[in-house]
Amino acid sequence: MALSNQQLNAIAEQFGTPVYVYHAEKMAEQYNNLTTAFAGQDVKIFYACKALTNINVLKHFKQLGSNIDCSSINEVKLALHAGFEPDRVLYTSNGIAFSEIEEAQSLGVHINIDSLSNLKKFGEKYGHSYPVGVRLRPNIMAGGNLKISTGHDKSKFGIPIDQMDELLAIIKETNLFIQGLHIHTGSEIKDVEVFIKGIEVLFDIIPLFNELEFIDLGGGFKVPYKKGDHQTDIQQLAAAVGEAFANHPNPNGKHLQVWFEPGKYLVSGAGYLITQVNVLKQSGTINFVSVNSGFNHLIRPMFYDAYHQITNISNTEGEEQHYAVVGNICETDTFAWDRKLHEVREGDYLVFANAGAYGFEMSSNFNSRYKPAEVLVKDGEYHLIRRRDVFENLLRNQVVVL
Ligand code: LLP
């Protein structure tokens, strides 16, 4: 399910560019893929909202029946603001001040704690009165590239699994109620075996925790970015997870729920960034296409060497040529070096696909440029869900002292 070029052209004309566009029905399709694949298993899906936090997107996932995973106290507050009940909100933090954990506790949400230090403070303050999850680092290398790998033995995330003795000592000493164990090994994990490997690491230690109610396997499902790209086979994942847990009943006899926290899987393919061509420049054999955007709006190509499909929606029949698609900020910001596109002319609209996850969310005002507008397409209608910045936004928080 994709938006048509005609729809994207109409949105560009109506709302101007650059503009992020999100397709509500595509998000629903992805969410339903997951719930259908895991039907019959006690699995809960928490949308990892760090991927995209527009309040309308949060409300949409709430209406779909999803739970929500947050990575900052402000995401927790946004989730509550969007109407999620605290019981449907999970705060999986890393390296945060204990005061944020106290605040999350006062809001009544689920919390996964990722350091011995914060866990000890939590135990000393709340003892057995507030159940908590423990984020472990399983020492598994996984994910699309090192920058998005979080479970390996040099990663800052989670409590290293080899510090189990210290962890157990803190739990005993402070009488903590450990409700869940959490691991997240990385983003863009295409092999189901990685998840199974993680589960097996957990199976070895599950017997050490006698009040467990859930196992949280994080997110990281791979989505296709280009034609022929592999993606995580969700059916296979569901079958493998079901089988693994069927063969390993919880030793304390309690039923174990399985939680997932997908971000990209739910929103990546539902998003588009529409840009417009400012300038064409020929240099030797290189045809530069400079668009009215840059890594200030979509940082993934520069930051992770990520591939985003680009389509010239203004000239879908033109002869294909090779282009270097670059941004207009004062950096070597390049979206694609040698990309085949239908003939590009100044003024054409170029659309970046897979822009729903970590697109707008990682954007900035670098070069004092405006952040793009955001539009939601739902039931065939176009809704402006964030206005483009205006000049006042650049000055709003500045304190003039001179
Ligand atoms: N849960 C935890 C604890 C996480 O750290 C993350 C992502 C997720 C869930 C969701 O992962 P996803 O399903 O979206 O792969 N900005 C990078 C991705 C960084 C992901 C960080 N953590 C990118 O644009 O590729």
Side-chain angles (χ1 to χ4, degrees), residues 153-300:
D153 66 359
K154 305 256 178 330
S155 163
K156 68 166 185 170
F157 293 97
I159 297 170
I161 199 133
D162 36 283
Q163 293 175 9
M164 194 52 63
D165 289 348
E166 290 98 310
L167 172 62
L168 292 173
I170 291 171
I171 294 169
K172 195 161 169 221
E173 193 182 303
T174 61
N175 192 23
L176 273 160
F177 178 175
I178 304 299
Q179 190 184 28
L181 296 180
H182 171 283
I183 53 171
H184 170 80
T185 53
S187 192
E188 301 186 9
I189 302 168
K190 66 175 190 307
D191 295 323
V192 166
E193 292 75 55
V194 171
F195 290 95
I196 301 306
K197 219 162 130 188
I199 295 175
E200 276 161 7
V201 170
L202 291 177
F203 280 143
D204 288 341
I205 56 167
I206 283 174
L208 303 173
F209 300 86
N210 56 17
E211 294 182 293
L212 282 188
E213 289 167 15
F214 69 84
I215 295 295
D216 182 346
L217 298 173
F221 307 152
K222 167 124 179 54
V223 295
Y225 280 90
K226 53 177 131 169
K227 282 201 183 83
D229 241 8
H230 288 289
Q231 55 182 314
T232 312
D233 184 335
I234 299 298
Q235 307 289 339
Q236 195 193 340
L237 176 71
V241 167
E243 195 183 325
F245 279 90
N247 292 332
H248 283 84
N250 193 2
N252 69 18
K254 275 194 197 166
H255 183 66
L256 266 186
Q257 272 188 349
V258 178
W259 294 6
F260 285 106
E261 305 160 352
K264 276 180 191 161
Y265 185 82
L266 293 175
V267 296
S268 174
Y272 306 78
L273 171 62
I274 314 179
T275 65
Q276 189 164 28
V277 177
N278 282 339
V279 178
L280 293 178
K281 186 189 284 183
Q282 163 106 48
S283 163
T285 55
I286 306 173
N287 285 320
F288 285 105
V289 173
S290 187
V291 295
N292 61 351
S293 186
F295 78 49
N296 49 332
H297 297 157
L298 180 64
I299 201 170
R300 300 191 74 258

Side-chain angles (χ1 to χ4, degrees), residues 48 50-51 69 71 92 94 135 145 147-148 150 157 182-184 186-189 218-221 225 261-265 300 303-304 306 357-359 362:
K50 75 204 79 186
D69 172 51
S71 56
T92 301
N94 82 89
R135 178 172 185 174
N145 63 67
K147 284 188 185 159
I148 54 175
T150 52
F157 293 97
H182 171 283
I183 53 171
H184 170 80
S187 192
E188 301 186 9
I189 302 168
F221 307 152
Y225 280 90
E261 305 160 352
K264 276 180 191 161
Y265 185 82
R300 300 191 74 258
F303 208 43
Y304 309 112
Y358 310 106
M362 294 178 80

Side-chain angles (χ1 to χ4, degrees), residues 50-64:
K50 75 204 79 186
L52 178 59
T53 54
N54 187 290
I55 200 78
N56 299 279
V57 172
L58 305 191
K59 285 184 173 194
H60 184 47
F61 278 107
K62 177 181 177 274
Q63 282 162 14
L64 290 171

